[in-house]
């Protein structure tokens, strides 16, 4: 495993497009997290500052990070399709890796990327929480930190999708387009055509719902100034109208099962793939 | 001469691509220290054979073993292979590419400067792979096979696409390795290459093994003559009585004669003259691997 990690790091970290994309991801994430509160200050009577306070900050930064996931999926697609384009999968088999090793290398890559996102979200949550919160206690700070584990599983799943599509299509553009079409067009269309209760059992839904959307409306409301209390009930009602989905533990079980399925499919394809 | 250990045993190896049979019941054995050529025209199944042996492809039927063991990733680490064109990470330096292979083979980085010097690429060790010329890429491919000092080298068309100087250099490299006692298995469609480099050869055509044996034995063979006389009838009669002829065959106005070992054209000329016939023309053909090969693949 250590050997595969070293090999994967050598080929990944020395690849300039990888460095650029990771750099962009980092910069855009930081801009998204730390510059939003400044914009917010210009809107009268409304503040989203509570989103940056403990414990809500955990949900909020996790939610923000999900907007940047696509760039990481594209990274995995790029690195995997490169192996086919450069015929380096074939070369590595010849030199003595097994087909399972080829898969393990990429599992290591997606684990590292998932860990990177968790670290980024963890550090920025703690930093902005400490900066913006008025009240800081141990419980308040770490109450929602479990979400980092859910985030890891979530990112890992998205990246596993990217890996599977790359192994199927072996072409960067095709894999990327199919991934996007599946997420943005195919699954949503199927979802709206099935019974309401079944909609939560679609991959994009239960994986996304691993990290619940922050209750933005009620938090903003709490900080509105000069408003009467009657608005409170209305907003609560609006929140209730928004569907909640399955309990977290059910989402987690479904997601873990999905990861198993994606990994098995990837392994099976690599096992059957002709490399010449 | 001691019987050397078998390095590779192939039994009834068969592989099809859809309806095309690329390899049919190939059975071959390669022993320690041999430089074993797999010779055949394009599409004869050479690369398919080597791809199966190096784990890139799976056979449909049959089996093979390396060092008496079933093939596996760990067995492949004991072999240095170069199949078709050398494939490396184009954006990595030569050094980093070789480090990846050294890590796969668990052999440490100590060999890297030596193998780069062997193929005369040490000065370019920091260059990225994509900046190399075709010949340099091929030499790096050979360098990669030498990492970890493997007992066996498997080379597929190692001089493909090289200029004459590059071909000479690569051949020299292969012969140096053979002199060190390594077993080398080399596929080629170039007859002269096999003649110059290999000790043994297997000739393939359309996935079938046509002939196998020692290159010298195949080369030694029989002497071939083409003879003509003014009286062809008498010529055929005399050749029928001649004791040092293997066989003969009339072709247009001439007769092709195969002489037994130890006899030559002068003996035949003298024999015909004694029988009252003057031969008007005698042409000597040295039977080469090429003529053997062409005869075999024509059948």
């Amino acid at each position: 495993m250590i050997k595969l990690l070293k090999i994967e790091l050598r080929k990944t970290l020395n690849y300039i497009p990888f460095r650029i994309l990771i750099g962009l991801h980092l910069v855009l994430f930081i801009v998204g997290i730390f510059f939003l509160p400044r914009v917010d200050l210009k809107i009268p009577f409304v503040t989203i500052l509570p989103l940056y306070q403990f414990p809500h900050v955990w949900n909020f930064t996790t939610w923000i990070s999900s907007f940047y996931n696509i760039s990481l999926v594209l990274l995995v697609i790029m690195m995997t399709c490169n192996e086919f384009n450069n015929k380096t999968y074939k070369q590595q088999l010849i030199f003595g890796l097994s087909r399972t090793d080829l898969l393990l290398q990429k599992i290591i890559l997606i684990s590292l990327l998932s860990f990177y996102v968790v670290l980024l979200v963890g550090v920025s949550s703690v930093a902005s929480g400490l900066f913006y919160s008025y009240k800081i206690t141990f419980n308040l700070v770490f109450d929602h930190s479990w979400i980092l584990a859910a985030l890891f599983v979530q990112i890992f799943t998205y990246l596993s999708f990217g890996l599977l599509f790359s192994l199927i299509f072996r072409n960067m553009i095709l894999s990327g387009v199919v991934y996007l079409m599946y997420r943005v067009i195919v699954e949503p269309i199927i979802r709206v055509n099935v019974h309401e209760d079944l909609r939560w059992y679609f991959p994009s839904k239960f994986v996304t719902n691993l990290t619940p959307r922050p209750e933005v409306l009620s938090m903003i409301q709490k900080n509105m100034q000069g408003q009467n209390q009657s608005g409170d009930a209305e907003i609560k009602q609006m929140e209730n109208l928004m569907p909640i989905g399955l309990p977290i533990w059910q989402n987690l079980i479904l997601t873990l099962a999905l990861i198993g399925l994606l990994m098995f499919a990837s392994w099976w394809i690599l096992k059957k793939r002709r490399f010449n | 001469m001691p019987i050397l250990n078998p390095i590779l045993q192939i039994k009834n190896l068969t592989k099809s691509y859809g309806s095309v049979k690329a390899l049919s019941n190939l059975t071959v054995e390669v022993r320690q220290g041999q430089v074993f050529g797999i010779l055949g025209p394009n599409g004869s199944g050479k690369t398919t054979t080597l791809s199966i042996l190096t784990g890139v492809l799976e056979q449909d039927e049959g089996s093979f073993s390396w060092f008496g063991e079933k093939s596996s990733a760990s067995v492949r680490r004991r072999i240095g292979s170069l199949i078709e064109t050398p494939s490396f990470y184009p954006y990595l330096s030569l050094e980093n590419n070789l480090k990846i292979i050294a890590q796969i083979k668990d052999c440490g980085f100590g060999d890297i400067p030596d193998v780069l010097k062997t193929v005369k690429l040490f000065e370019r060790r920091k260059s990225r792979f994509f900046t190399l010329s075709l010949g340099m890429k091929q030499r790096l491919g050979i360098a990669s096979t030498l990492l970890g000092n493997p007992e066996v080298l498997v080379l597929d068309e190692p001089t493909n696409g090289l200029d004459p100087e590059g071909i000479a250099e690569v051949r020299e490299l292969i012969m140096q390795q053979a002199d060190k006692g390594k077993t080398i298995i080399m596929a080629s469609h170039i007859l002269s290459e096999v003649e110059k480099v290999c000790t043994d050869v297997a000739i393939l055509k359309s996935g079938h093994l046509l002939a196998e044996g020692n290159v010298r034995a195949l080369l030694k063979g029989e002497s071939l003559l083409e003879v003509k006389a003014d009286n062809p009838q008498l010529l055929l009669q005399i050749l029928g009585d001649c004791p040092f002829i293997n066989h003969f065959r009339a072709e247009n106005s001439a007769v092709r004669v195969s002489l037994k070992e130890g006899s030559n054209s002068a003996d035949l000329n003298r024999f015909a003259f004694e029988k009252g016939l003057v031969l008007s023309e005698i042409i000597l053909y040295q039977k080469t691997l090429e003529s053997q090969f062409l005869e075999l693949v024509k059948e």
Side-chain angles (χ1 to χ4, degrees):
Chain A
M1 249 349 207
I2 298 289
K3 169 171 120 178
L4 296 177
L5 169 72
K6 284 180 182 168
I7 293 172
E8 197 57 29
L9 284 178
R10 188 178 301 280
K11 57 185 158 183
T12 307
L13 296 180
N14 286 302
Y15 189 45
I16 291 170
F18 180 88
R19 290 190 207 169
I20 293 174
L21 274 173
I22 276 286
L24 270 177
H25 178 272
L26 184 68
V27 168
L28 290 175
F29 180 82
I30 291 171
V31 167
I33 292 284
F34 293 103
F35 285 81
L36 212 59
R38 291 168 190 266
V39 176
D40 168 62
L41 293 175
K42 291 171 188 156
I43 306 169
F45 307 120
V46 174
T47 173
I48 57 166
L49 269 186
L51 294 172
Y52 289 87
Q53 294 166 348
F54 289 123
H56 311 294
V57 67
W58 291 109
N59 278 42
F60 181 65
T61 43
T62 303
W63 183 60
I64 291 284
S65 80
S66 66
F67 294 108
Y68 302 100
N69 286 344
I70 183 65
S71 62
L72 300 178
V73 175
L74 293 178
L75 264 182
V76 169
I77 289 176
M78 181 175 76
M79 295 312 293
T80 311
C81 291
N82 269 350
E83 302 271 13
F84 288 107
N85 290 341
N86 299 329
K87 293 190 170 182
T88 39
Y89 262 162
K90 179 179 123 179
Q91 196 77 354
Q92 290 175 88
L93 271 182
I94 291 172
F95 281 117
L97 287 189
S98 67
R99 286 166 189 252
T100 308
D101 289 335
L102 300 183
L103 177 64
L104 285 174
Q105 281 184 339
K106 290 296 171 257
I107 293 178
I108 288 171
L109 175 67
I110 61 183
S111 304
L112 287 176
L113 286 172
S114 308
F115 183 71
Y116 151 76
V117 174
V118 166
L119 194 70
L120 199 59
V121 169
V123 169
S124 48
S125 298
V126 171
S128 50
L130 291 176
F131 189 75
Y132 290 108
S133 298
Y134 303 119
K135 191 174 143 195
I136 294 167
T137 66
F138 186 83
N139 279 349
L140 202 57
V141 171
F142 292 104
D143 195 28
H144 275 55
S145 57
W146 59 267
I147 207 166
L148 291 181
L151 177 66
F152 184 90
V153 177
Q154 185 184 57
I155 309 276
F156 192 93
T157 316
Y158 290 139
L159 301 185
S160 303
F161 261 112
L163 173 63
L164 177 64
F165 286 157
S166 316
L167 294 176
I168 293 173
F169 300 112
R170 290 176 287 172
N171 176 294
M172 213 181 292
I173 295 172
L174 190 60
S175 309
V177 168
V178 171
Y179 176 81
L180 283 176
M181 281 184 49
Y182 174 74
R183 287 291 307 273
V184 181
I185 302 172
V186 179
E187 202 194 286
I189 287 178
I190 300 173
R191 229 168 32 216
V192 294
N193 285 301
V194 298
H195 190 272
E196 225 170 274
D197 294 341
L198 289 176
R199 288 177 193 166
W200 305 110
Y201 293 94
F202 278 82
S204 295
K205 272 289 160 200
F206 62 73
V207 178
T208 310
N209 288 346
L210 267 180
T211 55
R213 182 172 34 79
E215 291 165 0
V216 183
L217 288 174
S218 58
M219 261 175 279
I220 292 173
Q221 187 273 335
K222 278 177 197 159
N223 290 276
M224 279 182 173
Q225 293 167 9
Q227 291 251 327
N228 61 31
Q229 291 302 306
S230 64
D232 199 21
E234 279 168 30
I235 285 172
K236 271 272 180 288
Q237 209 177 351
M238 282 169 72
E239 288 278 0
N240 289 339
L241 283 176
M242 290 184 157
I244 302 157
L246 302 171
I248 293 286
W249 67 269
Q250 276 191 28
N251 288 333
L252 186 65
I253 289 172
L254 286 168
T255 308
L256 291 176
L258 178 66
I259 290 177
L261 194 69
L262 293 170
M263 286 301 152
F264 177 76
S266 300
W267 175 81
W268 189 81
I269 286 168
L270 270 175
K271 191 97 184 147
K272 297 285 164 197
R273 176 68 72 213
R274 255 174 66 183
F275 285 102
N276 60 337
Chain B
M1 194 175 162
I3 296 171
L4 297 166
N5 296 329
I7 293 286
L8 168 68
Q9 288 169 302
I10 303 176
K11 280 182 195 149
N12 302 319
L13 214 58
T14 300
K15 174 79 188 173
S16 298
Y17 300 118
S19 59
V20 180
K21 205 153 205 177
L23 205 56
S24 189
N25 282 315
L26 180 69
T27 300
V28 166
E29 188 172 274
V30 179
R31 291 184 170 273
Q32 200 178 356
Q34 283 184 334
V35 181
F36 194 95
I38 300 176
L39 180 64
N42 292 330
S44 58
K46 304 183 299 288
T47 299
T48 300
T49 306
L50 295 189
S51 297
I52 293 171
L53 296 177
T54 52
V56 177
L57 280 179
E58 294 237 353
Q59 70 269 33
D60 298 334
E61 286 164 44
S63 62
F64 64 95
S65 62
W66 285 105
F67 317 107
E69 289 176 44
K70 195 171 171 282
S71 179
S72 66
S74 62
V75 165
R76 288 201 294 277
R77 278 176 226 141
R78 293 170 63 185
I79 305 165
S81 310
L82 177 63
I83 306 295
E84 290 178 302
T85 47
S87 310
F88 294 97
Y89 293 94
Y91 56 87
L92 287 185
S93 67
L94 310 194
E95 232 172 19
N96 268 328
N97 268 303
L98 293 184
K99 278 180 180 171
I100 286 179
I101 295 160
Q103 280 172 325
I104 292 174
K105 292 187 152 226
D106 300 315
C107 64
F109 298 155
D111 283 353
I112 292 174
D114 291 339
V115 299
L116 281 173
K117 280 175 193 160
T118 306
V119 299
K120 296 177 189 152
L121 283 173
F122 184 71
E123 305 303 319
R124 295 292 300 270
R125 64 191 182 282
K126 302 282 181 203
S127 304
R128 290 168 186 232
F129 176 69
F130 76 87
T131 64
L132 297 188
S133 70
L134 187 66
M136 288 172 175
K137 285 179 178 169
Q138 197 71 8
R139 275 174 12 220
L140 183 71
I142 291 180
S144 71
T145 66
L146 302 177
L147 280 176
N149 197 21
E151 301 149 67
V152 183
L153 299 182
V154 177
L155 307 168
D156 182 18
E157 309 271 5
T159 59
N160 221 4
L162 299 184
D163 58 20
E165 198 187 345
I167 290 173
E169 278 177 10
V170 167
R171 273 189 200 153
E172 183 61 32
L173 270 170
I174 295 169
M175 291 201 268
Q176 277 172 14
Q177 295 305 315
D179 290 343
K180 288 182 184 170
K182 287 193 197 302
T183 308
I184 299 173
I185 299 166
M186 185 180 99
S188 179
H189 66 273
I190 306 164
L191 302 149
S192 58
E193 187 165 274
V194 172
E195 271 187 278
K196 281 177 189 156
V197 178
C198 298
T199 58
D200 293 82
V201 65
I203 300 176
L204 291 186
K205 188 200 171 190
S206 308
H208 292 272
L209 179 67
L210 296 182
E212 187 202 347
N214 184 278
V215 171
R216 272 195 208 147
L218 275 175
L219 268 172
K220 200 171 150 193
E222 6 157 55
S223 296
L224 274 184
L225 298 178
E226 193 176 279
V227 294
K228 282 184 184 174
D230 293 338
N231 187 345
Q233 292 298 327
L234 184 59
L235 175 63
L236 292 174
Q237 195 187 323
I238 289 169
L239 290 175
D241 296 338
C242 183
F244 48 82
I245 282 178
N246 281 326
H247 52 83
F248 63 93
R249 190 173 73 222
E251 268 184 16
N252 304 322
S253 60
V255 181
R256 286 211 162 195
V257 180
S258 159
L259 293 180
K260 282 187 178 163
E261 215 178 314
S263 337
N264 57 33
S265 54
D267 296 332
L268 180 65
N269 200 7
R270 196 177 306 115
F271 184 80
F273 191 74
E274 282 167 4
K275 297 280 180 186
L277 182 73
V278 177
L279 299 178
S280 58
E281 198 176 307
I282 305 177
I283 303 168
L284 174 68
Y285 291 95
Q286 183 59 49
K287 188 147 182 167
T288 61
L289 190 55
E290 181 163 1
S291 58
Q292 288 271 64
F293 174 68
L294 290 176
E295 264 177 38
L296 282 165
V297 296
K298 233 188 277 174
E299 281 164 12

